[in-house]
Amino acid sequence: MPTGTGKTYNVIQFIKQYLKTDNKKKIFFVTTLKKNLDDPFKDLMEALKDEDDKSLQESVFRVLSNKEYAIKQFAKIKNNIKQSEIKNSDEYKSFNALNSANVGSDAYGDVELKFRKLIGNVLSRYFRKKEDKLNAIKNDNDWKWVGELYPLVFSHEKRVFFVTVKKLVNQFDTIVEKSVRLYENPIFTNSIVFIDEFDATKKDIQDVIVQEGLDKAIDFVKLFRDIKICLDNHDTIPSNIFDNVENKPSHKKALEKNIKIFDDIEKENHLLLNYKSEGFEEKRYILFSDLTKTCYATEQEDITVKYHKGRNVNQLQLVPKETKDRTLYDALDKIRGAISHFTRFVAILSHSYYQNKIKANKQQEGKSFGEFTEFHALDTVLDSLHLQDETFRIIRNMALKNRFRVYNKKNNDELKDDLYFYASGFSHYDFMDDYAHDTKTIIRKFVFEETPESIMYDICTSSKVIGISATATYPTVLGNYDIDYLEWKLGDRFVKPTDQDRQRFRDTFNAQTKGYDQVTTVVELTETNADECPNWGNVFTDLDL
């Protein structure tokens, strides 16, 4: 639809009428900037002001971040916090000190996150089930402050959400359940989603993907070593991890296979020794996992690895591409395969543990075990393997992705035919030399498994999405999603305006702009004195313009 044809206005009017129906589907109004949500939100609240049913306004939710809510509300509720394990904690004291000093949100760093996690952990000690937590926060005076501090707790009660696209694809923490991305939360499923300035949202999603990939860079060789240490000490794994699953022999056999794979690769590639670049420390090299090796300085060379027995080091050297020596990628590919095999083992074992746990709980009638989820099963298995904290986090994230591939057959079948870059993303290895670790070269792997197209596809398969923009279908992959790809993936679920729709838009636009061709615009320079240039600040928000 062209600019100025009332796209946003019509959406707000639809939402108003929709709220008066008995339809229980939730509605999400999504756009790129927080400030672009203010007017639509105010317009809807104003439109609902005169309605007899006052609950309609209460069902509309302007979604902010948990940090924003906490900073704004903390001073009002802190005297209501009675739980000593919270009140006396370092997390509470740190957050209270910053809030009392009235510092900006950036100064909080991860202080609010740690404080929120503490609240969630304490809440879980008192109440195991999500329903019990919500009941306490809503009705128990000792816990009502949690809902006032973090309104996202009551998200399930809302019907309309105004949210930025970055919040839509970032973690959504309601305190009472496991944190997932908002579009993966059950409240989003089967909803109606209006995405304003549809094409512009691609950059925001892309920024989130890039930042997550940079934040989660993996020291690949160290990760292999940490897993191998765990496997070398497999005798310390609690026996009930295997006792409480079906097909115990097969899981034991899978563990033994992982042990052998890691032993063989470690011996073949001398992975207990450091890797060290020789002769190209001052250059920046990138090794892409699609089998191409790209050097910023030259594309004519390859990186090989040789075991230097006398120096106890795996020596990295640049050689012409046509060389027959074993390349570093050969070694990294085997390491990657071993880690993937281990991750799959963890995903399957945790799923079996979860299934057996639920089965056992159902057989013990009258006893309450709370909500034991697949997340709990995965954490239990990983904890039993005695992995280091960073390795625990990495394998957990990888196993969660692996779990969906193993058990979500529908998505797995769809992905078989999708060989596009959009479905799988890409990864690359980066080599880092530094005087702080002068005897070794750190090989980091950066993984970008998702793309804006793959995330938008997931959003569209979960809910009904209406893209609103004058250029929503413009054929470019730089300033817009690859519309052809989305249309191919979504099939019959992808609907474009019909010719009749387009004519209706055209007629409406022409009616609204009637007479504009008779308007003459006259532009005059109002100031020529350089000393008066600061007054242009009334016209431009950026004085540099």
Side-chain angles (χ1 to χ4, degrees):
M1 294 177 64
T3 300
T5 53
K7 297 185 293 293
T8 304
Y9 171 81
N10 288 322
V11 169
I12 296 304
Q13 293 306 307
F14 168 82
I15 296 174
K16 174 186 174 182
Q17 297 305 319
Y18 184 88
L19 284 174
K20 298 178 184 179
T21 70
D22 294 329
N23 200 312
K24 299 302 180 184
K25 286 186 178 181
K26 298 184 184 298
I27 295 179
F28 288 79
F29 184 91
V30 182
T31 190
T32 53
L33 301 173
K34 287 170 59 177
K35 65 180 183 179
N36 291 347
L37 291 173
D38 293 338
D39 288 342
F41 176 74
K42 292 176 182 177
D43 290 344
L44 179 59
M45 296 300 282
E46 184 67 25
L48 296 173
K49 185 174 64 174
D50 296 329
E51 295 294 328
D52 293 334
D53 187 355
K54 300 305 178 185
S55 66
L56 295 181
Q57 278 192 323
E58 296 175 1
S59 69
V60 180
F61 195 31
R62 171 75 163 82
V63 179
L64 303 176
S65 69
N66 277 310
K67 179 187 282 190
E68 290 174 286
Y69 286 126
I71 292 174
K72 182 179 179 181
Q73 297 294 115
F74 183 75
K76 302 175 185 177
I77 61 89
K78 67 178 182 179
N79 292 331
N80 297 331
I81 302 176
K82 307 300 181 185
Q83 295 77 12
S84 59
E85 55 265 68
I86 295 177
K87 198 86 172 181
N88 297 329
S89 68
D90 291 337
E91 291 86 347
Y92 173 91
K93 294 174 182 176
S94 296
F95 188 87
N96 184 40
L98 289 170
N99 196 261
S100 299
N102 199 28
V103 298
S105 61
D106 291 343
Y108 282 78
D110 63 352
V111 171
E112 182 278 326
L113 176 60
K114 291 179 179 178
F115 180 48
R116 186 178 357 126
K117 284 186 174 181
L118 172 68
I119 295 172
N121 291 336
V122 173
L123 192 63
S124 295
R125 292 178 207 155
Y126 285 88
F127 311 100
R128 299 293 297 275
K129 295 183 178 181
K130 173 184 174 181
E131 292 77 10
D132 295 335
K133 295 175 185 177
L134 287 170
N135 183 61
I137 295 172
K138 196 167 188 177
N139 301 306
D140 189 333
N141 288 330
D142 288 341
W143 291 100
K144 285 183 178 180
W145 61 267
V146 177
E148 296 172 16
L149 187 63
Y150 293 114
L152 294 186
V153 166
F154 299 120
S155 298
H156 64 288
E157 298 179 351
K158 307 299 182 180
R159 295 181 63 189
V160 181
F161 298 79
F162 286 81
V163 59
T164 63
V165 66
K166 284 191 175 181
K167 285 189 173 60
L168 183 67
V169 300
N170 266 309
Q171 293 296 303
F172 187 73
D173 187 4
T174 64
I175 314 293
V176 296
E177 60 190 341
K178 203 69 180 179
S179 172
V180 295
R181 288 171 170 175
L182 176 51
Y183 74 86
E184 295 172 336
N185 190 287
I187 66 171
F188 188 81
T189 304
N190 201 31
S191 60
I192 300 173
V193 185
F194 293 97
I195 302 183
D196 193 27
E197 302 301 338
F198 177 80
D199 45 330
T201 61
K202 176 174 181 174
K203 183 181 184 304
D204 283 1
I205 295 179
Q206 182 174 283
D207 289 345
V208 171
I209 293 171
V210 170
Q211 192 58 54
E212 286 184 353
L214 295 176
D215 291 342
K216 296 177 181 178
I218 302 169
D219 184 338
F220 212 49
V221 177
K222 181 178 182 300
L223 178 62
F224 179 93
R225 291 172 180 167
D226 289 346
I227 296 173
K228 188 177 186 309
I229 291 173
C230 148
L231 294 173
D232 287 344
N233 293 281
H234 65 275
D235 290 339
T236 64
I237 299 174
S239 60
N240 63 344
I241 285 293
F242 297 100
D243 294 338
N244 290 340
V245 298
E246 295 181 0
N247 302 319
K248 174 181 176 181
S250 66
H251 291 299
K252 281 279 192 179
K253 189 175 181 180
L255 175 63
E256 293 168 0
K257 185 175 181 180
N258 272 278
I259 293 171
K260 186 177 187 310
I261 288 173
F262 274 74
D263 281 343
D264 291 346
I265 292 177
E266 185 276 316
K267 291 174 183 176
E268 179 184 356
N269 296 278
H270 309 284
L271 290 176
L272 293 182
L273 303 180
N274 289 338
Y275 282 86
K276 180 58 183 172
S277 59
E278 299 285 345
F280 62 97
E281 297 89 342
E282 300 303 319
K283 298 179 181 179
R284 186 69 178 275
Y285 284 80
I286 299 293
L287 184 64
F288 284 92
S289 62
D290 60 356
L291 304 183
T292 66
K293 293 87 176 176
T294 301
C295 167
Y296 287 150
T298 174
E299 296 181 0
Q300 311 305 318
E301 297 171 308
D302 208 345
I303 302 175
T304 61
V305 55
K306 290 185 178 180
Y307 166 51
H308 198 298
K309 186 175 181 179
R311 295 171 53 195
N312 274 343
V313 70
N314 291 306
Q315 186 174 333
L316 302 179
Q317 291 182 316
L318 281 179
V319 297
K321 281 207 172 200
E322 57 271 12
T323 184
K324 300 298 182 182
D325 292 341
R326 187 166 65 95
T327 66
L328 175 61
Y329 187 85
D330 296 329
L332 292 177
D333 191 44
K334 290 182 178 180
I335 295 173
R336 180 198 58 77
I339 293 173
S340 295
H341 195 277
F342 176 77
T343 302
R344 184 178 177 85
F345 160 70
V346 168
I348 294 174
L349 179 59
S350 65
H351 182 74
S352 297
Y353 187 87
Y354 167 75
Q355 296 280 33
N356 200 68
K357 183 79 171 180
I358 295 302
K359 182 179 178 181
N361 286 356
K362 288 181 178 179
Q363 292 173 350
Q364 301 186 47
E365 297 181 2
K367 294 186 178 181
S368 175
F369 295 91
E371 288 183 302
F372 188 83
T373 68
E374 290 213 41
F375 293 106
H376 294 135
L378 177 58
D379 288 346
T380 298
V381 168
L382 289 173
D383 183 68
S384 300
L385 295 172
H386 310 300
L387 296 169
Q388 295 184 21
D389 290 346
E390 184 64 12
T391 303
F392 185 109
R393 180 189 66 79
I394 294 171
I395 298 300
R396 186 180 192 276
N397 290 336
M398 294 172 67
L400 284 173
K401 291 185 175 69
N402 202 297
R403 179 174 66 96
F404 287 114
R405 294 192 185 106
V406 172
Y407 298 109
N408 192 333
K409 293 183 178 179
K410 177 182 177 183
N411 287 344
N412 200 41
D413 290 341
E414 290 178 353
L415 287 174
K416 286 180 181 177
D417 298 326
D418 189 352
L419 301 179
Y420 278 78
F421 156 78
Y422 300 123
S424 55
F426 75 99
S427 60
H428 71 266
Y429 302 96
D430 190 11
F431 304 90
M432 187 172 71
D433 287 287
D434 194 286
Y435 288 136
H437 44 84
D438 195 41
T439 61
K440 71 176 178 181
T441 299
I442 293 179
I443 302 173
R444 296 186 301 172
K445 185 176 184 180
F446 292 85
V447 181
F448 305 91
E449 290 185 320
E450 297 173 303
T451 62
E453 278 75 8
S454 69
I455 289 180
M456 185 53 65
Y457 169 72
D458 289 341
I459 292 172
C460 291
T461 54
S462 174
S463 301
K464 177 178 288 187
V465 175
I466 300 96
I468 311 170
S469 175
T471 52
T473 58
Y474 194 77
T476 174
V477 296
L478 297 179
N480 194 5
Y481 300 91
D482 189 327
I483 299 300
D484 290 339
Y485 173 79
L486 290 177
E487 184 174 4
W488 171 69
K489 286 289 289 182
L490 292 168
D492 294 340
R493 290 170 292 183
F494 186 95
V495 180
K496 291 182 178 179
T498 64
D499 291 340
Q500 292 86 344
D501 290 329
R502 293 180 183 279
Q503 186 59 51
R504 179 165 51 85
F505 298 155
R506 190 176 295 111
D507 292 342
T508 300
F509 179 74
N510 289 335
Q512 291 178 340
T513 58
K514 185 177 181 180
Y516 269 64
D517 57 342
Q518 302 173 21
V519 174
T520 301
T521 302
V522 178
V523 180
E524 295 181 358
L525 185 62
T526 60
E527 295 174 358
T528 56
N529 189 337
D531 294 335
E532 297 177 350
C533 282
N535 290 332
W536 282 104
N538 297 324
V539 180
F540 298 103
T541 56
D542 187 344
L543 287 178
D544 289 339
L545 295 175

